[in-house]
Amino acid sequence: MAAVATPRSAIGAGFSALHTGARIASTLILLPVAALAVCVFLPSGGVWPHLLETTLGLYLKDSALLAAGVVLGAAVIGGGGAWLCTVCDFPGRRFLEWALILPLAFPAYIIAYTYTGMLDYGGWLHQRLGAQALPSIRSMGGGIAVLSLVLYPYLYLLVRATLLQQSASLVEAARTLGFGAWRTFAQLMLPVARPAIAAGAAIVAMETLSDYATVKHFGIQTFSVGVLRTWFGLDSLVGAAQLSTLLLFFTAGLVACERLARRRAGYYNAGQREALGAVYPLRGARAWAATAACALPVTLGFALPAAQLAAWAWPARGAVFSGDYRELIANTLLLGAGAALATAAVAVLLAYARRRRPRDRLGWLHRAATFGYAAPGVVVAVGVMLVCTTLEKAAGAGAALAGIASPGLFLSGTLFILYFAYTTRFLTLGFNSVETSLLKVSRNMDYAAATLRASGGETLRAIHLPMIRTGLLTAMLLVFVDVIKELPATLVLRPFDFNTLAVRAYEMASNEQLPGIALPSLTIVAAGLLPLTLLARRIARRPARTLMRR
Amino acid sequence: MTSRQPHYHTALAAFALCCVLAPGPGGAEVNIYSARQEPLIKPLLDRFSKRRGVKVRLVTGKADALLARLKLEGRDSPADLLITTDAGRLYRAKEAGLLQAVESETLNANIAPRYRDPQNHWFGLSLRARAILAVAGKADTAAPARYESLADPVWRGRICIRSSDNIYNQSLVASMMHANGADATLAWAKGLVANFARPPAGGDRDQILAAAGGLCDIAVANTYYLAMMLQSGNAAQREAAKKIRVVWPNQRDRGVHINISGAGVTRAAKHREDAVALLEYLAGADAQRWYAEANNEYPVLDGIAPGAVLQAWGEFKADDINLELLGRLNRDAVELTNRAGWR
Ligand SMILES: [Fe+2]
């Protein structure tokens, strides 16, 4: 860095379009969430004394238990799986290392419906085994199990990426010190993987806390359930917004902890490291135990529910070829692709602006803009509607002054509002992976470009974007997969006669027809498989040579 | 390197295209926000559309979310008609100033006053009865004759009922508050909670399945779920439903608790005439017969027979409380269930 004599200020200057754009984008995306926060100052119609007296304690208890359980479960499965598949070798590893991300294709509520359909009263497994043999799936334990199975892939992806990048030298060190696999794991790998575990845990906790359909199905009373009960039951949207704000504060705390964990760990990956191959070839019983340990989450989180859905869907399979169904698929893909593009673009804008001006006073805006992930989707949707309709009314008033026709619902009446909602909700997924991959690009590149008098846009296009292509692709794939599964915002914000696969599955489910959800659900899973396979190929691309043989 | 660069301009153009692809408004049409799911309303809308030559467009969703959308869109809202599956949400929509009065001889003649708003802002279009369902051989001979008896200690650990998040239970509680007062209803709700066989989870159908599977002896559910199970393509559901007897509660006093699915014309309606015509169609003989036969609900129109399954359960006396009261008491009912610990 010292070799290139470029003052810092030269890099930030002359590129205010980027920063203005970033500020507009982050403000717009923050607004729906901020609208919730503003509700703190509005009268809630007296719901708080009532909630304090009755159910608030229950919401807190269930949320804490569920979040802790799911984070722990996801960390054990995701972290353990990443460790085994990256550092050890055992039969079936090459297959399992990509199969482990498959549960990500399943919407959590679909897995919940599938398991209750098998294990609750009336299900075939329940009838086969009897009520005594089975613990109730509709319980805290059931909720933790199902959400852990669906959410662990986030942790798996992040931990695995870290292990692949950072661990070659550490394992080298471990070998020199004569550590075995376990000791290396506990004393060297865990500290190195801590930031990834923290980041993954934050994502998992946020998804868990914002989930409504799954926990509702299991009768768990988390904060999100309380939020919607306050809105729907007590008819207090303001009270619901205030509860959501509480949830957001909690999330802000989580994110702060995660940042702290990251900062303390620092980044070891300044330059390109030699990629790591399987280091500890396992033998005999240990090897097969590792195979079983990795195969179990894939079976329970993907293969078994997929097989059950396929069995349910089989009699109705002809419907896939109907025109109606083609439209569902096309709409679903349209939303997924549009949202992936929009979110990735905003993520690049914000992450890049942050990189150019790390000490920007308004940098917190970019971070705060990612909080939409933690609130229940339908509440975020109301915030998004509020922002859009306010802008529309302002435009209408402006048009009236100018004596021209009102533009009407030019935002909320189009797909724009859906993309807006998705970006608000899923920006954190895109932002995290874009920011992380930008951090890996040496700053010397920026300084070199600045000496060559390249503009910020040129530098971004010519240097950064190609270098962060993998991170960008990961961001888009993750958002795509989450959007095609998304339900509450899609349901309320969509235009007339615009159905998606998730909407169809929901309508079948709320009609309490479990087998009817099977076909649309399977199609959602199938649509998610292609992007996930791409993702898996990205993360598996590395020399598979063994560094150490015994 | 240039050749390997992703095509950003293509991406931008693709996104713009994604936004524009939303369908625009057409000519003669009725636009509907419906809390009733598409499969349960679309066939009727299609029939109306064909008869009148009017396009019918639909968004379905959760009632309160649709209400929020209607409210925020204000005068610009494209929705002409709001359909819900309970009276409480229609009452809420009216209170928020989202509906308008409709004077129609057909509607007034076809729908009894207790099933519509006193100012004709909304109209009930089908009736659903919430009954006590008893497992044959275990509870049917001694089954509770009143909702009130569900709190009796003999039923400890023997009752399945869904969460009080659900509007059906909220309305039931509201009707009891109206009949017995808040204190007696709170005591009742606490007794009921003590009698739960498990913490509430799942929908009405799940309670029936649990009862048939031996978890509990009594389930409380809307009868159309039982009828759907009896007609199900799934053998397990049919077998389960056959084990259940319908008990009509409170036959010696106020009668069975009834709720409606209904609709109202929005204040922002741009196609008021067609919307009223659709309401009239839904309250007419053709649509009412469909509600009875395809949906296993009770028609609001006198003279239309319920479906065969419903007829087999016999006639019953229905609570004649004006359904507007269910909406009025809804919040109190939810607070009461919170106090009673009914999840
Ligand atoms: Fe229902």
Side-chain angles (χ1 to χ4, degrees):
Chain A
M1 177 195 303
V4 188
T6 310
R8 278 199 101 87
S9 57
I11 295 171
F15 198 36
S16 54
L18 169 78
H19 296 284
T20 316
R23 274 177 201 172
I24 292 174
S26 53
T27 308
L28 204 60
I29 284 163
L30 188 59
L31 272 178
V33 180
L36 296 179
V38 168
C39 285
V40 170
F41 304 106
L42 299 178
S44 64
V47 298
W48 279 96
H50 174 73
L51 288 177
L52 281 171
E53 180 200 325
T54 55
T55 43
L56 197 63
L58 183 64
Y59 299 152
L60 285 172
K61 192 191 94 196
D62 271 18
S63 295
L65 264 178
L66 185 74
V70 174
V71 165
L72 191 68
V76 170
I77 304 174
W83 161 259
L84 284 172
C85 285
T86 315
V87 180
C88 303
D89 198 12
F90 50 88
R93 180 183 63 87
R94 305 207 62 177
F95 168 72
L96 287 168
E97 75 180 353
W98 79 262
L100 270 166
I101 68 170
L102 289 179
L104 210 52
F106 263 104
Y109 57 91
I110 297 295
I111 295 235
Y113 289 145
T114 310
Y115 272 110
T116 41
M118 288 191 275
L119 297 177
D120 205 8
Y121 288 87
W124 62 270
L125 250 172
H126 190 273
Q127 287 174 337
R128 210 55 53 89
L129 300 172
Q132 283 73 35
L134 289 169
S136 171
I137 176 85
R138 291 183 191 271
S139 61
M140 179 60 79
I144 290 175
V146 162
L147 285 171
S148 304
L149 280 173
V150 184
L151 296 177
Y152 82 79
Y154 288 117
L155 255 146
Y156 172 75
L157 282 171
L158 288 165
V159 174
R160 182 174 161 81
T162 306
L163 290 183
L164 282 174
Q165 282 161 6
Q166 306 188 348
S167 56
S169 52
L170 283 172
V171 172
E172 208 83 55
R175 191 178 53 167
T176 327
L177 291 166
F179 281 9
W182 277 115
R183 244 179 125 181
T184 315
F185 174 72
Q187 293 185 2
L188 292 171
M189 284 301 181
L190 270 186
V192 167
R194 198 178 60 200
I197 293 174
I203 290 182
V204 168
M206 284 195 244
E207 286 251 7
T208 303
L209 290 174
S210 67
D211 176 88
Y212 175 71
T214 314
V215 292
K216 183 80 184 53
H217 196 65
F218 286 156
I220 303 168
Q221 306 275 310
T222 63
F223 238 81
S224 287
V225 172
V227 166
L228 295 202
R229 190 177 163 100
T230 302
W231 176 10
F232 299 166
L234 299 177
D235 193 18
S236 174
L237 187 49
V238 172
Q242 292 171 347
L243 273 174
S244 305
T245 311
L246 211 63
L247 192 60
L248 290 179
F249 274 120
F250 183 66
T251 311
L254 269 180
V255 171
C257 291
E258 187 249 309
R259 292 261 122 178
L260 210 64
R262 242 197 244 187
R263 190 167 307 155
R264 269 195 289 158
Y267 278 84
Y268 297 96
N269 52 341
Q272 291 287 337
R273 283 283 158 87
E274 194 174 14
L276 172 75
V279 183
Y280 295 105
L282 303 176
R283 300 255 159 72
R286 286 177 78 193
W288 289 106
T291 308
C294 290
L296 191 67
V298 178
T299 310
L300 294 179
F302 185 82
L304 185 61
Q308 175 64 77
L309 286 175
W312 279 335
W314 187 247
R317 64 193 177 279
V320 184
F321 305 105
S322 70
D324 170 46
Y325 217 81
R326 271 204 296 275
E327 199 183 310
L328 291 183
I329 296 173
N331 287 347
T332 305
L333 297 180
L334 177 72
L335 292 186
L341 287 172
T343 311
V346 174
V348 168
L349 189 64
L350 298 194
Y352 196 57
R354 204 176 153 84
R355 179 185 178 88
R356 303 282 296 196
R357 277 194 202 156
R359 280 170 227 282
D360 190 346
R361 265 184 305 120
L362 287 177
W364 61 270
L365 257 181
H366 308 336
R367 174 73 15 215
T370 61
F371 281 2
Y373 199 44
V378 64
V379 177
V380 171
V382 171
V384 169
M385 275 195 278
L386 183 65
V387 173
C388 284
T389 51
T390 307
L391 291 174
E392 285 161 350
K393 278 176 192 140
L401 278 180
I404 52 174
S406 163
L409 304 177
F410 64 99
L411 300 173
S412 67
T414 64
L415 291 187
F416 172 85
I417 192 168
L418 280 170
Y419 296 125
F420 185 9
Y422 296 143
T423 311
T424 303
R425 213 159 136 51
F426 298 123
L427 182 61
T428 193
L429 287 180
F431 186 77
N432 279 348
S433 62
V434 169
E435 195 190 27
T436 314
S437 45
L438 260 182
L439 279 171
K440 284 178 213 145
V441 180
S442 165
R443 286 214 169 261
N444 290 341
M445 296 278 197
D446 303 38
Y447 300 130
T451 5
L452 295 171
R453 304 205 168 276
S455 78
E458 282 165 355
T459 317
L460 176 66
R461 216 167 336 155
I463 297 177
H464 291 116
L465 282 182
M467 293 189 75
I468 63 165
R469 212 168 34 211
T470 306
L472 200 57
L473 187 75
T474 307
M476 301 211 311
L477 295 174
L478 284 176
V479 173
F480 177 87
V481 171
D482 248 3
V483 166
I484 62 174
K485 299 189 291 188
E486 206 279 343
L487 179 67
T490 314
L491 198 60
V492 60
L493 297 178
R494 67 208 159 108
F496 286 106
D497 293 336
F498 189 91
N499 287 334
T500 68
L501 291 165
V503 168
R504 179 60 56 86
Y506 160 78
E507 294 214 301
M508 287 303 177
S510 60
N511 201 12
E512 303 189 15
Q513 301 197 349
L514 272 179
I517 68 172
L519 199 59
S521 306
L522 266 187
T523 320
I524 293 176
V525 173
L529 279 185
L530 181 70
L532 284 179
T533 312
L534 277 176
L535 199 61
R537 275 192 42 200
R538 291 272 159 183
I539 60 165
R541 196 174 289 169
R542 63 191 168 80
R545 74 198 169 92
T546 303
L547 290 180
M548 189 173 92
R549 287 204 185 280
R550 260 184 281 175
Chain B
M1 193 212 275
T2 337
S3 65
R4 294 209 47 181
Q5 257 188 42
H7 301 279
Y8 304 108
H9 300 289
T10 322
L12 204 67
F15 178 70
L17 193 71
C18 286
C19 271
V20 176
L21 277 175
E29 59 189 27
V30 184
N31 296 323
I32 301 174
Y33 285 175
S34 168
R36 189 151 212 181
Q37 300 122 41
E38 193 176 309
L40 300 182
I41 190 76
K42 192 87 198 305
L44 285 178
L45 301 180
D46 287 344
R47 281 200 222 181
F48 170 78
S49 179
K50 212 172 266 170
R51 283 191 179 191
R52 195 169 165 94
V54 167
K55 201 172 162 205
V56 179
R57 301 195 304 163
L58 182 67
V59 180
T60 57
K62 290 191 162 66
D64 291 282
L66 291 173
L67 280 184
R69 180 166 170 180
L70 202 53
K71 204 177 198 168
L72 287 169
E73 287 169 342
R75 278 181 318 177
D76 288 334
S77 176
D80 302 305
L81 198 68
L82 174 72
I83 297 180
T84 76
T85 52
D86 68 283
R89 265 52 181 264
L90 288 168
Y91 170 82
R92 231 173 245 182
K94 183 197 170 194
E95 289 297 293
L98 300 174
L99 302 179
Q100 59 172 297
V102 170
E103 284 312 323
S104 149
E105 278 174 29
T106 315
L107 293 175
N108 289 351
N110 288 13
I111 304 166
R114 65 174 182 276
Y115 298 137
R116 54 184 152 91
D117 174 55
Q119 277 89 45
N120 283 347
H121 279 232
W122 51 260
F123 301 87
L125 296 169
S126 65
L127 308 178
R128 43 269 301 274
R130 198 151 184 78
I132 292 176
L133 304 178
V135 179
K138 278 165 112 182
D140 49 347
T141 48
R146 309 177 72 214
Y147 295 112
E148 284 78 353
S149 322
L150 290 171
D152 291 349
V154 282
W155 300 109
R156 183 104 341 146
R158 297 169 70 187
I159 293 177
C160 284
I161 188 167
R162 74 196 291 180
S163 162
S164 65
D165 281 353
N166 187 266
I167 189 74
Y168 303 149
N169 285 338
Q170 294 170 8
S171 292
L172 174 63
V173 171
S175 77
M176 295 188 69
M177 290 172 81
H178 177 68
N180 304 331
D183 293 342
T185 309
L186 179 59
W188 170 78
K190 283 181 177 161
L192 177 66
V193 169
N195 288 347
F196 284 172
R198 67 170 174 192
D204 275 6
R205 202 187 280 253
D206 295 311
Q207 314 310 319
I208 301 174
L209 284 169
L215 177 71
C216 44
D217 300 334
I218 297 284
V220 180
N222 287 356
T223 53
Y224 56 87
Y225 288 109
L226 185 62
M228 278 197 284
M229 287 172 67
L230 282 169
Q231 296 169 341
S232 164
N234 178 323
Q237 296 236 339
R238 279 198 309 274
E239 288 311 310
K242 279 183 194 158
K243 294 182 187 163
I244 303 293
R245 302 280 168 271
V246 175
V247 180
W248 298 118
N250 297 69
Q251 290 305 288
R252 297 187 175 190
D253 46 279
R254 65 180 185 275
V256 178
H257 170 65
I258 299 288
N259 210 329
I260 52 158
S261 78
V265 175
T266 65
R267 176 160 285 182
K270 313 275 183 301
H271 312 92
R272 188 174 189 276
E273 236 171 82
D274 287 323
V276 173
L278 175 53
L279 265 183
E280 290 175 343
Y281 170 75
L282 292 174
D286 185 53
Q288 289 294 310
R289 212 167 288 127
W290 188 85
Y291 275 123
E293 276 154 24
N295 271 13
N296 288 305
E297 290 174 282
Y298 291 92
V300 280
L301 179 62
D302 278 341
I304 303 285
V309 182
L310 268 62
Q311 278 182 31
W313 295 329
E315 296 199 351
F316 58 88
K317 179 182 174 191
D319 191 351
D320 61 4
I321 177 179
N322 190 311
L323 295 188
E324 196 210 11
L325 276 164
L326 301 182
R328 233 177 246 284
L329 289 170
N330 189 266
R331 180 173 168 164
D332 294 336
V334 174
E335 290 193 355
L336 187 143
T337 56
N338 276 347
R339 289 212 176 84
W342 182 351
R343 292 186 159 204

